[in-house]
Amino acid sequence: MPNQVETKTKSIEKNVKDIRHYINGQFVDSHRNEWFDNYNPFTNKKINRVASGDEKEIDAAVQSARNAFRGKWGSLKLKDRLAYIYRIADLIDEYIDEIAPLESYDTGLPVSQTKKMVARAAHNFRFYAEMVSSRLVGDAYQVDNEFLNYTIHKPVGIAGLITPWNAPFMLETWKIAPALATGNTVVLKPAEWSPLTANRLAEIIDKAELPDGVFNVVHGYGEQAGASLVAHPDVELISFTGETTTGSEIMKNGADSLKQFSMELGGKSPIIVFDDADVDRALDACTWGIFSFNGERCTANSRLYIHESIADSFVERLKERVLNIVVGDPMKEETQVGPLIHSNHYHNVKNYLKKAEEEGCEVFSGNVPTEMSSGNFIPPTIMLNANTEMTVVQEEIFGPVLAVMTFKEEEEVIKLANNVRYGLAGYVWTKDIQRGHRVAQAVDSGMLWVNSQNVRDLRTPFGGSKHSGIGREGGHYAFEFYTEVQIIHVALGDHHIPQFGK
Ligand code: NAD
């Protein structure tokens, strides 16, 4: 008798169809009829085929987005536009029990975690509907009784959104929600390794009956579909989340058409634990921060700096956790770490572990049950005796792998924490309130948590410094990117006008 999880997986397998683009309110094949295969990370068996688009599909999607922007969508009253946004949120909530397992099936992320991601996706839409109705306001500048100058926010036009595979549904909605709520139309290019829920989102948006062309999805390879979107002269802005090198390539390719860019890039974030920290909570946060989402998390605390006086006991407890973490089938509720997204990524992470040993680390790993051998499993791993010069400390590994280092002094650890090219997130654990603020402010990162795991407040700016990103999304910060501010100067009286040639 198959158990509940097997039944659910079989039902997904049976129902998953080949995936097509969503352009102008229709699901369509590529004009060349080209496809690529999509694989399950737990079995490495083929799931389905995905339509592979190029500049033709991008052009069709951009045209339809342009027509929608100039047509019905652009002339809707705010209340009516936001009603669509709330409808999308309600539909996501309605299908959460279907979307979360689908995401786990496609990505290997444990289902207990994808459920939260999908709930957050619905929240993204509600949050931005509320933000737009309450915070999308202009400023007025009065100049005595001579002028009243005021600003208004206009949608920019067509938003090109390019997303990664690591938390696909949540990250896509994190861009789509503010883009649509502020009145833009959208062309989404999802990651090739995680297309299933992007397609489900298109079905949901179709069901919400947004006017044709407001939301489009073109699947395909980054270098083909993605690059065509970036180069398209009618796309005004590109919001990109992905690797730093891809971000830099995209900025070069978009330069000719003077695009606006928002760049959410890679990270190698430090967690600093002082000797006066609440060690139990720091341990929980450190373990969760690196091993949740299979370690494929941009804000993961992948470098631990532990004060030398508490290092031995902390590392012993960390080892225990590593051995106890439940590695297994992502479709099971009890699983804490699932398989990595793709066999290519699995081999990349494996190579980093080999490199860690070559560089002199003691590599300590948890266990993968033997029956999981066909999946892309990397067990939770810590790299002991690491140091700043090592490749495995400098480069983003993007797997369940933590580099462990010790420190003595505050100044020393700040230097160590800042000695990487990334600056996305940081975590500081201490009970000394002054030191907490001091170190937090000294760490080069866009986001910093003190005595906390990565708890997001959607009103706050999200983004990285250094090679981790350009610009901020989140809260009203997203308005700076998704809207054009226009200043209007109105003369109230007869100000002086020079009378040349009179
Ligand atoms: P990636 O850069 O390989 O791909 C991201 C997207 O870009 C995909 O859709 C891909 O098809 C597309 N792409 C690739 N080449 C392109 C090109 N030349 N032109 C246009 N599009 C192109 O990243 P990934 O491997 O999918 O994701 C993992 C990376 O994402 C990690 O570095 C991670 O840190 C980062 N990330 C950052 C954040 C953040 O908020 N800072 C969040 C999640 C993930």
Side-chain angles (χ1 to χ4, degrees), residues 142-413:
Q142 189 169 354
V143 187
D144 302 323
N145 57 359
E146 289 193 346
F147 275 94
L148 179 61
N149 305 327
Y150 65 92
T151 58
I152 60 167
H153 292 261
K154 297 177 175 178
V156 176
I158 302 174
L161 311 179
I162 303 179
T163 48
W165 45 259
N166 66 311
F169 195 74
M170 202 286 286
L171 287 173
E172 286 151 14
T173 59
W174 179 237
K175 295 180 188 301
I176 297 164
L180 292 181
T182 51
N184 301 283
T185 54
V186 163
V187 178
L188 170 71
K189 208 304 278 172
E192 26 308 37
W193 287 350
S194 59
L196 293 189
T197 51
N199 181 61
R200 194 69 192 91
L201 186 62
E203 289 171 348
I204 281 176
I205 290 185
D206 193 65
K207 195 163 183 184
E209 296 182 336
L210 266 72
D212 290 347
V214 171
F215 176 72
N216 305 272
V217 183
V218 177
H219 296 277
Y221 293 111
E223 302 73 20
Q224 211 165 31
S228 304
L229 183 60
V230 171
H232 201 293
D234 290 345
V235 174
E236 276 89 0
L237 57 89
I238 294 284
S239 173
F240 170 77
T241 299
E243 279 183 21
T244 298
T245 45
T246 317
S248 142
E249 173 81 15
I250 285 177
M251 289 184 71
K252 284 179 210 142
N253 294 341
D256 282 346
S257 51
L258 285 176
K259 296 255 179 330
Q260 294 190 47
F261 291 110
S262 167
M263 291 278 152
E264 303 286 357
L265 308 175
K268 189 81 183 179
S269 302
I271 176 168
I272 302 170
V273 183
F274 284 94
D275 49 356
D276 64 347
D278 180 334
V279 178
D280 293 342
R281 287 179 64 75
L283 180 69
D284 287 341
C286 177
T287 310
W288 164 259
I290 183 64
F291 300 125
S292 54
F293 307 176
N294 300 343
E296 298 161 326
R297 181 172 189 160
C298 57
T299 50
N301 45 254
S302 47
R303 291 182 291 143
L304 165 64
Y305 295 98
I306 177 85
H307 192 271
E308 61 173 21
S309 67
I310 56 168
D312 287 349
S313 61
F314 197 88
V315 168
E316 271 323 297
R317 294 176 68 192
L318 202 51
K319 283 180 168 174
E320 262 174 53
R321 294 289 181 98
V322 158
L323 293 174
N324 286 337
I325 286 173
V326 182
V327 178
D329 183 346
M331 306 298 278
K332 287 189 175 165
E333 280 293 333
E334 63 270 26
T335 294
Q336 294 172 322
V337 169
L340 297 185
I341 181 91
H342 195 276
S343 57
N344 289 0
H345 186 51
Y346 164 85
H347 288 295
N348 282 344
V349 176
K350 268 271 186 216
N351 284 339
Y352 274 117
L353 296 184
K354 203 164 135 232
K355 184 90 190 156
E357 275 174 340
E358 285 164 10
E359 289 186 316
C361 288
E362 178 199 337
V363 175
F364 182 91
S365 293
N367 303 307
V368 177
T370 42
E371 64 273 23
M372 307 287 159
S373 60
S374 50
N376 306 319
F377 281 99
I378 297 281
T381 298
I382 54 179
M383 303 180 296
L384 301 165
N385 312 324
N387 69 56
T388 299
E389 280 71 46
M390 293 177 176
T391 314
V392 290
V393 174
Q394 289 295 326
E395 294 184 7
E396 185 184 40
I397 298 176
F398 220 53
V401 181
L402 173 71
V404 181
M405 288 153 282
T406 58
F407 70 96
K408 238 192 216 162
E409 306 293 343
E410 182 180 315
E411 259 182 50
E412 173 202 3
V413 77

